[in-house]
Amino acid sequence: MNLNPPHEPALRHPATLGHYLTPTPAGFSLHMSASPRNLRAVRGLTEKTLLDAGVSPNGVDCAQLVLAELYSNAVHACGDYVPLVAEVEAGAAGVWVRLHDPDGRRMPWHSGVAMNDPEAESGRGLAIVDVLAPGWDVMPTPVGKQIRCLLPRD
């Protein structure tokens, strides 16, 4: 059985353990299990993809920071090796960073920790996302939730 129409070539991006990449015209979609190795991989892929799309190094850093924060929150909410889908896409309005996790019941929440609190050891992540991607939102999906962030072009 051939799953590709005759006019479309088959994608040649083999899956690796806990990692399946689908390139898109303006970015990528990466299915993965949450692990330090896969976080490094998605950060590197984000850097290459966005630099190739003409995004500034600062814009790349901001996208990587937002993605890492969403990733960390998903692991905190769902546990190690949770299946995630990360999507990064450069567009005219900015850079989209989306992260899907399977637990639609646990929503992101602000800890109330002040950004300049010298005593706090955690709790600033979503405040950083607020600054870098104002207006981010959460969409319920049939199998969990997707957090969507648009980082404006610099």
Side-chain angles (χ1 to χ4, degrees):
M1 171 190 273
N2 186 355
L3 299 178
N4 293 308
H7 61 282
E8 290 185 29
L11 292 176
R12 300 282 186 229
H13 297 280
T16 60
L17 182 61
H19 182 120
Y20 186 82
L21 173 64
T22 305
T24 64
F28 65 86
S29 176
L30 180 64
H31 295 244
M32 66 190 137
S33 57
S35 70
R37 178 182 63 96
N38 284 338
L39 177 57
R40 283 189 302 277
V42 75
R43 285 179 54 88
L45 185 59
T46 298
E47 179 179 32
K48 179 179 181 348
T49 299
L50 295 180
L51 287 175
D52 288 351
V55 175
S56 72
N58 182 60
V60 171
D61 289 345
C62 291
Q64 288 177 312
L65 182 58
V66 166
L67 183 59
E69 178 56 34
L70 299 181
Y71 193 102
S72 172
N73 285 353
V75 170
H76 182 74
C78 302
D80 294 335
Y81 305 106
V82 61
L84 302 173
V85 179
E87 298 175 21
V88 174
E89 178 181 20
V95 174
W96 280 101
V97 173
R98 300 176 192 95
L99 191 78
H100 188 275
D101 76 55
D103 192 344
R105 298 165 300 159
R106 298 191 62 177
M107 295 296 164
W109 56 276
H110 290 81
S111 67
V113 171
M115 290 285 282
N116 61 353
D117 182 346
E119 303 293 317
E121 295 181 10
S122 65
R124 295 182 187 94
L126 287 179
I128 292 170
V129 173
D130 287 338
V131 169
L132 297 175
W136 61 271
D137 66 356
V138 181
M139 292 293 299
T141 70
V143 293
K145 67 182 173 290
Q146 183 184 65
I147 301 172
R148 305 178 312 176
C149 304
L150 177 61
L151 290 81
R153 289 244 182 214
D154 353 86

